[in-house]
Amino acid sequence: MRKPLISGNWKMHHNHFDAITLVQKLGYAIDKDDVEAVDVSVHPPFTDLRSVQTVIEADKIPLILGAQNCHWEEKGAFTGEVSPAMLAKLNVSYVIVGHSERRELFGETDEDVNRKVKSVLEHGMTPIMCCGETLEERESGATDTKVVGQVKAGLDGLDGATVAGLVVAYEPIWAIGTGRTASAEDAQAVCGLIRRTIADSFGQAAADGVRIQYGGSVKPDNAKELMGQPDIDGALVGGASLEAEPFAGIVQYRLKD
Ligand code: PGA
């Protein structure tokens, strides 16, 4: 059984004081039963990581620490960048790689994403590798080609056993931050395609192990239906992860009527 992973991507929101308050509130809202059923990660901005790490560890809050990005090099003359080694030192477990905002706004290529995926793994952390189509691509029928291409390129060179432990996030770009969600059927169709692509390239064991998240306007109201799909093993949540109540509501999707 794949344990679902629900991840809160805070993007460029919350300074380290806000971050401490939010994880403390999540500590009250999320209990032992929740994290037995679901892994929960939070991905604050870099400047908050140390504070969040300290609070999570000191107060034994059952949240897993994640980051939103990193460089692929271990160190060097890369002004403004943060290395995977630095994240590993903060007990970061999951690193989002190739989010569509990184690809679209900061020019990240499939090759960059692949380098980052490998580097995150080499430093003992798990990448959450994002893929997804634009509205134009969806409307022209190019969703499958785009997503399959991103998955193959992003995971290129890995072996099946490694891929089995990874997380892939399917995030249709037109659904991110827009309030529009892919229907559960459409999200399932693409997540199923991702799993078949992984089975073809890396074998059935890799496909059975890999966790596939859906992301794009996930809310407490639609989480249960999305999470009920056979190939959706979690959610990557942006807007609704910025406050404790909606995020806890998503984490507790299984309790909804
Ligand atoms: P959203 O963002 O939930 O605000 O749509 C999702 C994401 O970008 O990871």
Side-chain angles (χ1 to χ4, degrees):
M1 256 313 265
R2 294 180 294 267
K3 188 174 181 191
L5 170 66
I6 298 196
S7 305
N9 171 14
W10 298 358
K11 308 191 180 186
M12 200 168 73
H13 296 284
H14 293 332
N15 62 39
H16 68 290
F17 292 112
D18 304 329
I20 290 168
T21 309
L22 177 52
V23 292
Q24 281 171 335
K25 284 186 182 165
L26 287 171
Y28 289 114
I30 291 172
D31 63 28
K32 233 174 74 248
D33 291 348
D34 296 330
V35 292
E36 256 163 42
V38 183
D39 287 333
V40 185
S41 65
V42 289
H43 300 250
F46 288 136
T47 53
D48 304 359
L49 285 173
R50 175 66 177 153
S51 309
V52 173
Q53 179 211 5
T54 307
V55 176
I56 285 176
E57 291 176 4
D59 296 355
K60 299 195 170 47
I61 297 172
L63 297 172
I64 305 170
L65 188 59
Q68 300 176 17
N69 180 35
C70 66
H71 199 274
W72 57 83
E73 292 289 350
E74 167 130 14
K75 59 182 166 187
F78 301 101
T79 301
E81 292 292 321
V82 168
S83 90
M86 294 167 181
L87 298 180
K89 221 31 185 185
L90 291 164
N91 291 347
V92 164
S93 299
Y94 292 99
V95 184
I96 300 171
V97 176
H99 189 280
S100 63
E101 287 153 16
R102 302 286 329 157
R103 295 178 189 258
E104 292 212 320
L105 305 174
F106 302 98
E108 271 185 28
T109 64
D110 280 338
E111 291 69 38
D112 296 338
V113 172
N114 182 243
R115 285 191 196 104
K116 291 183 182 195
V117 163
K118 288 176 176 159
S119 186
V120 166
L121 286 162
E122 277 160 20
H123 288 85
M125 300 176 290
T126 301
I128 298 178
M129 208 268 301
C130 302
C131 59
E133 81 285 2
T134 63
L135 187 57
E136 216 178 23
E137 288 162 342
R138 164 154 290 235
E139 285 173 349
S140 67
T143 300
D144 292 6
T145 323
K146 169 85 178 283
V147 170
V148 168
Q150 285 181 324
V151 170
K152 285 190 174 164
L155 305 183
D156 187 46
L158 301 181
D159 60 38
T162 305
V163 174
L166 296 188
V167 183
V168 174
Y170 167 56
E171 297 207 303
I173 295 169
W174 49 272
I176 296 177
T178 58
R180 290 181 64 185
T181 322
S183 69
E185 295 70 38
D186 284 354
Q188 160 58 29
V190 181
C191 292
L193 173 67
I194 292 171
R195 201 176 302 284
R196 288 197 300 283
T197 303
I198 289 175
D200 290 345
S201 305
F202 302 100
Q204 195 54 46
D208 290 342
V210 70
R211 290 188 288 180
I212 303 175
Q213 294 179 317
Y214 167 79
S217 299
V218 177
K219 307 277 181 245
D221 286 349
N222 58 25
K224 186 168 185 178
E225 200 190 354
L226 288 161
M227 294 294 296
Q229 305 304 310
D231 287 304
I232 299 182
D233 311 309
L236 183 52
V237 185
S241 74
L242 295 177
E243 285 175 42
E245 201 182 301
F247 191 54
I250 293 170
V251 168
Q252 292 156 352
Y253 68 91
R254 66 190 194 291
L255 307 176
K256 275 239 166 199
D257 298 329

